[in-house]
Amino acid sequence: HFSGQIGLSGGHFWPVGHMFDTPVLDTPHHLHLLFQSFSLFYFTLLYCQLFGPCPWMNVIPLCSQHCLTAFGGIIAIPLILSQGLCLQHDGLTQSHLISTIFFVSGICTLLQVTFGVRLPILQGGTFTLLAPSMAMLSMPEWTCPCEISFLLLNTLLIFRLFPVCLQLQGSIIVGSLFQMFVGFSGLIGLFMRFIGPLTIAPTISLIGLSLFDSAGGSAGNHWGISSMTTALIILFSQYLRHISVPFPTYSKDKKLHTSRVYVFQILPVLLGITLSWLICYILTTFDVLPAQPDMYGYLARTDLKGDVIGQAPWFTFPYPGQWGMPTVSLAGVVGILAGVISSMIESVGDYHACARLSGAPPPPKHAINRGIGIEGLGCLLAGAWGTGNGTTSYSENVGALGITKVGSRMVIVAGGALMVIMGVFGKVGAVFTTIPSPVMGGMFMVMFGVISAAGVSNLQYADMNSSRNIFIFGFSMFSGLVIPNWILKNPNAIATGVIELDQVFQVLLTTSMFVGGFFGFVLDNTIPGSKHERGILAWNKAHKDDSSNTLESEEVYNLPFGISAALSSSAWLRYVPFCPGGRPGSLDGSGADTNSLEPKLFPGRPEPAQIIVGVGL
């Protein structure tokens, strides 16, 4: 398409034929530079399409889609935590917990898109912190009281009578400070040098495998309902994902018309849960499900929480310290740190995947450091507000980018605002508490299975024909299942004489992801093996960090509101790990102001760098 001439700023034009006739472009190096300039121009067009302004009539359905995609994971975490927090029969407090996690997730999303990595990526609760949290809540001293005495207590006093809830908050806050330090100091790069596929695979896989008891317990309350939920999710996500459904659409050009949407591929979990939920409501209305608490299938009813929707306020405003003043325990902090490290590793992979699917350049070091630091800030807010969990980047929504092909920041900003609104409306959280446990159990079976498989998929980078790697992965996985199971059955086996030390070992050794990840890390870094055999080379190639200071990278990852331009005047800020390096607009790092509309033109032939800058502009 450049058959005419290439325009340079300042009104000077260089015909394409003239440029190829000049000796300055006779070398392959200069031809390569010219090709890069063409690629840069093409990326500019693509970037404007993906990251440019998005019409509001499209923003609203697209942001709703992102929120609904994250719906399953966001509500699953507080419902699982409710069992350990002795809240499984208190629908009103459950609804407030759900509203709080929606509210905090929305705030963290806005922070991440605006000041963090600046990619269109949604933030929400993380399963990596769920495993150590459940290990902490399963300690003998934190057993739940009987149901009768529990119902006689005021729900807000529960969090003061059971200090484990406040200890969980304090542990998350301390763990988040560590994550902020690692991110803003740039130490995440040092961490990634020693963590490879053989460490990540057992760590992520054991997150899903360690929750099998929770999934089985919920599904076992009515295997018919849970099996139906699982079957519907599998049907929508696997068999019907390539089938599009016509939807009425209105546009200025075509007026009212129909457009086909791959709704089954986008919202399989939500559709499966909604249909099963509706069927349970119908069966409850016609008293098909038993009304006696001691009969099988009673927990599949939708009226177990009473009139929780009517009792819940229309508006609720979550605030820091709403459950009480957080406390800190050494055991809780150490356990949460194991989850924080896993969350950071997972997020780095999500950043690269999000950039690739949205058409952006690979995230540079300063953007990754800033993203990890902002995620730590999000965990700090989650601990202060009392969600019982932290926040992380949602891989499900990264996949949604590949389906919709829309990477507009405005869509994710609107999604974050929508989650804040959902957190403020108390009735929304109350509605979610009426989902029967067998329906959630059916969803858990699919969700936790996918998490386990996602961890195993990291082994594609390692040489699994190597007996070394097979031993490391097998031993790490098996140890991560055997040791926590034995400790849970023998809680008094650890007796060092120091109570605090006993609690630390109790939490760590009952956290499957820590045990498996620890053995994988130690064995992978001590048993002799080449980087190719360990998968380090392939891993780094797949997640390579393009830290070059390019025009398109600056456009995507620099700080907004002119902050980067203001900071560029201070030369020492280029050494700050989370600040963009070099001056804005400098393509080659030399400090030349390539954003200027009047660059210096040398007499004679144009320099290759000038050609690139001109085409780019």
Side-chain angles (χ1 to χ4, degrees):
H1 295 288
F2 293 115
S3 58
Q5 48 192 354
I6 294 180
L8 291 175
S9 57
H12 296 270
F13 291 85
W14 297 94
V16 173
H18 173 72
M19 286 199 307
F20 279 101
D21 289 339
T22 54
V24 73
L25 290 174
D26 284 346
T27 62
H29 172 68
H30 292 132
L31 290 175
H32 178 66
L33 290 176
L34 181 62
F35 174 77
Q36 284 183 335
S37 68
F38 291 156
S39 302
L40 179 58
F41 183 78
Y42 172 76
F43 175 82
T44 304
L45 299 178
L46 183 64
Y47 172 80
C48 293
Q49 178 185 1
L50 292 178
F51 289 84
C54 190
W56 280 106
M57 58 188 297
N58 296 334
V59 166
I60 295 176
L62 287 171
C63 76
S64 302
Q65 170 187 292
H66 274 284
C67 293
L68 294 175
T69 303
F71 157 84
I74 290 179
I75 69 166
I77 291 172
L79 292 179
I80 294 175
L81 282 174
S82 297
Q83 302 173 13
L85 293 173
C86 316
L87 298 174
Q88 59 267 40
H89 302 291
D90 189 349
L92 199 58
T93 306
Q94 279 186 13
S95 68
H96 194 63
L97 197 61
I98 293 174
S99 297
T100 302
I101 197 170
F102 269 117
F103 183 82
V104 174
S105 297
I107 293 178
C108 295
T109 298
L110 296 175
L111 289 174
Q112 187 67 269
V113 176
T114 307
F115 300 106
V117 71
R118 305 217 66 214
L119 286 169
I121 190 167
L122 203 76
Q123 303 291 296
T126 170
F127 284 96
T128 58
L129 294 187
L130 186 61
S133 298
M134 294 303 293
M136 181 178 175
L137 295 175
S138 64
M139 295 176 66
E141 56 266 35
W142 306 126
T143 55
C144 295
C146 63
E147 181 180 343
I148 297 177
S149 62
F150 174 81
L151 294 177
L152 296 177
L153 297 175
N154 183 279
T155 53
L156 290 180
L157 290 179
I158 289 296
F159 282 86
R160 290 166 174 80
L161 292 174
F162 299 110
V164 63
C165 308
L166 301 178
Q167 283 190 14
L168 181 59
Q169 283 185 247
S171 301
I172 293 173
I173 290 175
V174 176
S176 67
L177 295 176
F178 172 76
Q179 185 173 1
M180 292 174 63
F181 172 75
V182 171
F184 291 131
S185 65
L187 287 178
I188 185 64
L190 180 62
F191 272 67
M192 298 303 293
R193 292 182 184 178
F194 301 97
I195 297 177
L198 291 173
T199 302
I200 297 173
T203 302
I204 302 300
S205 297
L206 287 169
I207 294 174
L209 294 178
S210 64
L211 296 171
F212 77 93
D213 190 47
S214 177
S218 298
N221 291 324
H222 197 296
W223 279 109
I225 298 296
S226 59
S227 299
M228 176 183 63
T229 306
T230 302
L232 287 173
I233 295 176
I234 294 175
L235 176 66
F236 295 146
S237 64
Q238 303 302 321
Y239 293 98
L240 302 180
R241 59 179 176 172
H242 297 304
I243 297 178
S244 58
V245 179
F247 276 88
T249 310
Y250 178 82
S251 65
K252 293 182 179 180
D253 298 332
K254 299 182 179 180
K255 303 300 180 182
L256 185 63
H257 64 285
T258 59
S259 60
R260 307 190 70 86
V261 181
Y262 292 92
V263 63
F264 299 118
Q265 188 176 16
I266 298 171
L267 305 173
V269 176
L270 179 67
L271 292 175
I273 290 178
T274 303
L275 287 178
S276 298
W277 193 2
L278 179 61
I279 292 174
C280 288
Y281 175 77
I282 295 174
L283 296 179
T284 301
T285 303
F286 291 97
D287 287 329
V288 177
L289 295 172
Q292 292 76 25
D294 56 342
M295 294 187 64
Y296 180 78
Y298 171 75
L299 294 178
R301 297 179 65 92
T302 58
D303 58 355
L304 298 183
K305 302 296 174 61
D307 189 23
V308 63
I309 299 178
Q311 295 176 2
W314 278 102
F315 297 99
T316 178
F317 296 96
Y319 58 91
Q322 58 186 340
W323 309 116
M325 182 61 67
T327 59
V328 178
S329 69
L330 180 61
V333 170
V334 175
I336 292 298
L337 285 178
V340 164
I341 294 174
S342 302
S343 177
M344 289 190 292
I345 298 170
E346 182 184 5
S347 294
V348 172
D350 288 338
Y351 297 160
H352 286 273
C354 183
R356 184 172 61 252
L357 292 175
S358 58
K365 291 180 180 179
H366 68 84
I368 293 178
N369 295 337
R370 214 165 50 234
I372 296 298
I374 292 295
E375 283 194 16
L377 178 61
C379 290
L380 177 65
L381 297 179
W385 259 262
T387 64
N389 197 253
T391 59
T392 190
S393 300
Y394 257 40
S395 304
E396 297 91 337
N397 293 84
V398 174
L401 291 177
I403 298 172
T404 62
K405 307 300 181 184
V406 176
S408 174
R409 287 197 194 104
M410 184 58 66
V411 172
I412 304 300
V413 168
L418 180 60
M419 286 196 292
V420 172
I421 295 174
M422 292 174 66
V424 171
F425 281 96
K427 299 289 186 184
V428 174
V431 169
F432 291 144
T433 62
T434 63
I435 302 178
S437 62
V439 175
M440 297 302 299
M443 182 194 69
F444 291 160
M445 292 183 66
V446 176
M447 182 176 293
F448 297 157
V450 171
I451 293 175
S452 301
V456 176
S457 67
N458 288 280
L459 296 177
Q460 64 183 299
Y461 302 107
D463 181 11
M464 293 313 294
N465 290 321
S466 168
S467 59
R468 170 194 183 273
N469 295 345
I470 292 177
F471 165 75
I472 293 175
F473 178 70
F475 180 78
S476 301
M477 288 288 292
F478 200 71
S479 300
L481 295 173
V482 171
I483 296 177
N485 183 61
W486 187 85
I487 296 295
L488 288 173
K489 292 181 178 179
N490 302 273
N492 298 321
I494 300 177
T496 62
V498 181
I499 298 178
E500 290 77 11
L501 192 59
D502 292 345
Q503 293 177 343
V504 170
F505 283 126
Q506 180 80 21
V507 171
L508 289 181
L509 296 180
T510 53
T511 304
S512 297
M513 57 171 286
F514 169 78
V515 176
F518 174 78
F519 281 116
F521 175 79
V522 172
L523 295 177
D524 187 35
N525 285 278
T526 55
I527 298 179
S530 65
K531 288 187 176 182
H532 174 75
E533 183 182 15
R534 297 171 58 191
I536 301 296
L537 294 179
W539 174 266
N540 291 336
K541 183 179 180 180
H543 300 84
K544 66 178 181 179
D545 183 7
D546 184 8
S547 58
S548 59
N549 188 23
T550 59
L551 287 173
E552 63 268 28
S553 179
E554 291 176 359
E555 185 72 16
V556 179
Y557 299 108
N558 274 9
L559 292 169
F561 312 123
I563 298 177
S564 292
L567 295 178
S568 63
S569 59
S570 301
W572 60 272
L573 284 174
R574 72 179 62 185
Y575 301 105
V576 178
F578 56 89
C579 287
R583 295 183 59 185
S586 178
L587 184 66
D588 55 2
S590 61
D593 188 5
T594 57
N595 280 337
S596 173
L597 294 178
E598 299 289 342
K600 182 179 179 181
L601 295 176
F602 297 94
R605 305 187 189 100
E607 291 293 331
Q610 286 182 275
I611 297 175
I612 298 175
V613 172
V615 174
L617 291 174

